[in-house]
Amino acid sequence: MTSTRDPAMNRPTTPPRRAAGFTLLELSIALIVIGMLISMAKVGGDLMRQSTYVKLINDFIFIGGWHNAYGSYTVGQGHVLLDNPASPTGLVNEGKGERKEENAVCDNDLVNAMLAAGVSLPSGRGVGFETHYGYQDSNGNPQDMEVCFQALDWAVPDGAIGSYRKDTHNVMILTRVTPDLARMIDAQKDGLVDARFGCVREEQYADRDDITSSRSWSLDNNTVDEAQIATLTVHVSMDCN
């Protein structure tokens, strides 16, 4: 008996070819992995920056170093920085405390005064730049902090609750400080974050005897692009108890 089966039915069938590309599941997994890597990189950068901040605050590198240098000068010379040894006023630069840059002790004047007194200098940015410290802000852009000393008005309690008056304190002035670093300095030195009270204050609040309540630091680290973060001037009282 002759078969009438169609020969085409004996041909091997080929499974349908998969379209080129990725499935939605594969794309989702890839995006999740990329997001995790970006988050890990950001966290790592934040931790590294925080570690740098802690070192420059506490170690001999900069802020802690200049605090120690000021103390060493005072003990060794028997008077505060560039005071009159014959008739000490107890004030930096003999109390020339007007808010004028030329009356602050900065740069070479500060370095030379310390070296003449035999005081070791913090490393800062290196030889010739001991009063400066370079660091990165949260956008990864460079900032240049500078230290000076000056006798300035400082708001202190006046005996009654909620009453304050101006006194003169010897102050370490830190310029070009990012807001997050300013808050960390405040927390490290005072144990709380308050721009008005304590030994660490924002410049605009340091002498305000008319402000009787706490103030937040006036800036934050938010920017609309990758530009440098706006900076603050921080005052640290060297006479604070």
Side-chain angles (χ1 to χ4, degrees):
M1 182 176 178
T2 304
S3 174
T4 59
R5 187 176 181 181
D6 188 350
M9 296 181 63
N10 294 326
R11 296 175 184 172
T13 58
T14 303
R17 298 181 64 183
R18 178 181 169 184
F22 299 98
T23 65
L24 288 176
L25 177 60
E26 291 170 333
L27 288 173
S28 298
I29 293 173
L31 290 174
I32 291 172
V33 171
I34 292 172
M36 291 176 62
L37 292 174
I38 292 174
S39 297
M40 290 171 63
K42 185 178 186 305
V43 170
D46 290 343
L47 290 174
M48 183 176 296
R49 187 169 57 256
Q50 294 292 322
S51 175
T52 300
Y53 287 176
V54 170
K55 286 186 64 177
L56 76 91
I57 293 170
N58 295 322
D59 292 353
F60 192 72
I61 295 175
F62 199 66
I63 299 175
W66 278 109
H67 194 284
N68 293 340
Y70 177 91
S72 296
Y73 181 102
T74 302
V75 171
Q77 299 300 302
H79 57 79
V80 298
L81 183 63
L82 294 184
D83 198 5
N84 185 345
S87 181
T89 64
L91 300 174
V92 168
N93 205 14
E94 300 183 52
K96 298 174 182 177
E98 296 181 16
R99 291 181 179 277
K100 296 179 180 178
E101 186 175 350
E102 60 267 23
N103 289 333
V105 184
C106 307
D107 292 323
N108 290 336
D109 291 337
L110 178 54
V111 170
N112 291 336
M114 291 293 177
L115 292 178
V119 176
S120 298
L121 298 175
S123 56
R125 284 176 53 188
V127 177
F129 296 94
E130 293 89 350
T131 61
H132 292 257
Y133 188 85
Y135 66 103
Q136 288 187 338
D137 61 27
S138 57
N139 279 348
N141 293 315
Q143 297 284 357
D144 177 37
M145 187 192 308
E146 183 180 4
V147 64
C148 298
F149 290 91
Q150 190 173 8
L152 294 171
D153 286 341
W154 194 265
V156 298
D158 195 25
I161 296 176
S163 178
Y164 298 90
R165 61 179 174 81
K166 287 183 174 67
D167 195 4
T168 305
H169 275 210
N170 296 309
V171 175
M172 177 194 293
I173 304 170
L174 301 170
T175 55
R176 296 182 293 278
V177 181
T178 58
D180 58 349
L181 177 54
R183 293 183 182 92
M184 181 174 284
I185 296 169
D186 198 1
Q188 290 278 325
K189 297 293 185 183
D190 288 342
L192 74 162
V193 178
D194 189 329
R196 162 62 181 86
F197 293 102
C199 300
V200 179
R201 302 179 183 179
E202 188 173 344
E203 180 181 42
Q204 64 173 320
Y205 299 128
D207 64 346
R208 293 290 299 276
D209 55 354
D210 59 322
I211 296 179
T212 60
S213 58
S214 298
R215 289 291 186 271
S216 299
W217 291 85
S218 62
L219 297 176
D220 56 37
N221 273 38
N222 295 330
T223 56
V224 295
D225 52 27
E226 295 183 355
Q228 283 184 317
I229 299 294
T231 58
L232 302 161
T233 296
V234 176
H235 285 187
V236 182
S237 173
M238 307 304 290
D239 303 328
C240 201
N241 296 321

